[in-house]
Amino acid sequence: MTPLSATQKARDICLMAPVVPVLVIDDVADARPLAEALVAGGLPALEVTLRTEVALEAIAEMAKVEGGIVGAGTLLNSADVAAAVEAGAQFGVSPGATDMLLTACEDADLPLLPGAASATEAMRLMERGYTTQKFFPAATSGGAPALKAIGAPLPQISFCPTGGISLATAPDYLALDNTLCVGGSWVAPKDLVKAKAWDQIEALAREAAQLSR
Ligand SMILES: O=C(O)C(=O)C[C@H](O)[C@H](O)COP(=O)(O)O
């Protein structure tokens, strides 16, 4: 897959809803009902971070949920990419970007939303054809004002800011011309997942899905 078509697909995924839930799954039994709640609430694009032992199994379970599209987050190297594809991930997300990771995703036909936190990082990705990027870590990199400032000289790049974003701060990002959607874990808080409070999670998803952009 060329960087151009990968970035186009990443853009389409980002435009599905204003928020991409960032999920850390500890118990694979939670994967399917959690995905069902988020999709029912109006958030179809889901990112499962490869940070727990059951993450790959969780991706495989979530991929069965109708109406959802499941991606793998925290992709760091080619082994992660191979495992994510094998599990059924339909897109990838990474905190930053290396040439090795980009090549691995291109070779595996996995659309990637690569991370950038500065103008130089964003420009390097753009040089290679990636004009849809994750701005990470968003809040500590200057938040919405920083992303707005990056957008002034680089309007060709669109972002999914992620990291430290909440329901309260999401609108600041979503109001920017260069923001397609935001990523965040707040729609699936650990305590609600642990309590299997799927209705409450669906309600959080619905609230997030109604954010305007
Ligand atoms: O592991 C990755 O690849 C990530 O994408 C990290 C996430 O961006 C943050 O975990 C977002 O979490 P919050 O800041 O709680 O919304």
Side-chain angles (χ1 to χ4, degrees):
M1 170 178 279
T2 64
L4 229 59
S5 58
T7 214
Q8 182 58 50
K9 282 211 167 159
R11 184 182 174 87
D12 292 344
I13 290 164
C14 286
L15 287 171
M16 291 175 84
V19 179
V20 175
V22 178
L23 308 169
V24 181
I25 311 227
D26 292 310
D27 182 352
V28 71
D30 293 334
R32 201 157 171 172
L34 174 60
E36 283 167 353
L38 293 166
V39 171
L43 303 180
L46 310 174
E47 175 190 339
V48 178
T49 58
L50 294 191
R51 286 199 244 150
T52 63
E53 272 182 21
V54 301
L56 291 166
E57 277 179 79
I59 288 171
E61 278 304 300
M62 289 185 160
K64 297 174 189 162
V65 175
E66 212 171 312
I69 171 162
V70 185
T74 334
L75 292 182
L76 304 181
N77 52 48
S78 51
D80 290 341
V81 173
V85 169
E86 168 87 24
Q90 293 186 65
F91 64 98
V93 185
S94 56
T98 65
D99 286 332
M100 241 156 71
L101 179 66
L102 296 172
T103 300
C105 288
E106 289 157 15
D107 289 350
D109 282 339
L110 186 70
L112 177 70
L113 181 66
S118 68
T120 297
E121 291 171 13
M123 285 169 63
R124 285 179 64 88
L125 282 167
M126 183 170 66
E127 258 178 19
R128 190 160 166 157
Y130 290 89
T131 51
T132 311
Q133 304 176 11
K134 163 175 164 172
F135 179 54
F136 177 81
T140 51
S141 302
L147 191 50
K148 183 177 182 183
I150 286 175
L154 304 172
Q156 312 89 323
I157 307 175
S158 299
F159 293 90
C160 168
T162 304
I165 302 179
S166 65
L167 181 68
T169 60
D172 298 343
Y173 296 92
L174 292 169
L176 302 178
D177 289 341
N178 62 347
T179 295
L180 301 172
C181 64
V182 303
S185 64
W186 85 85
V187 286
K190 261 187 183 281
D191 55 333
L192 291 189
V193 174
K194 202 161 178 221
K196 303 193 188 297
W198 311 127
D199 288 351
Q200 286 181 63
I201 289 176
E202 184 178 329
L204 287 176
R206 185 155 292 124
E207 195 174 35
Q210 279 161 5
L211 287 166
S212 53
R213 53 180 166 167

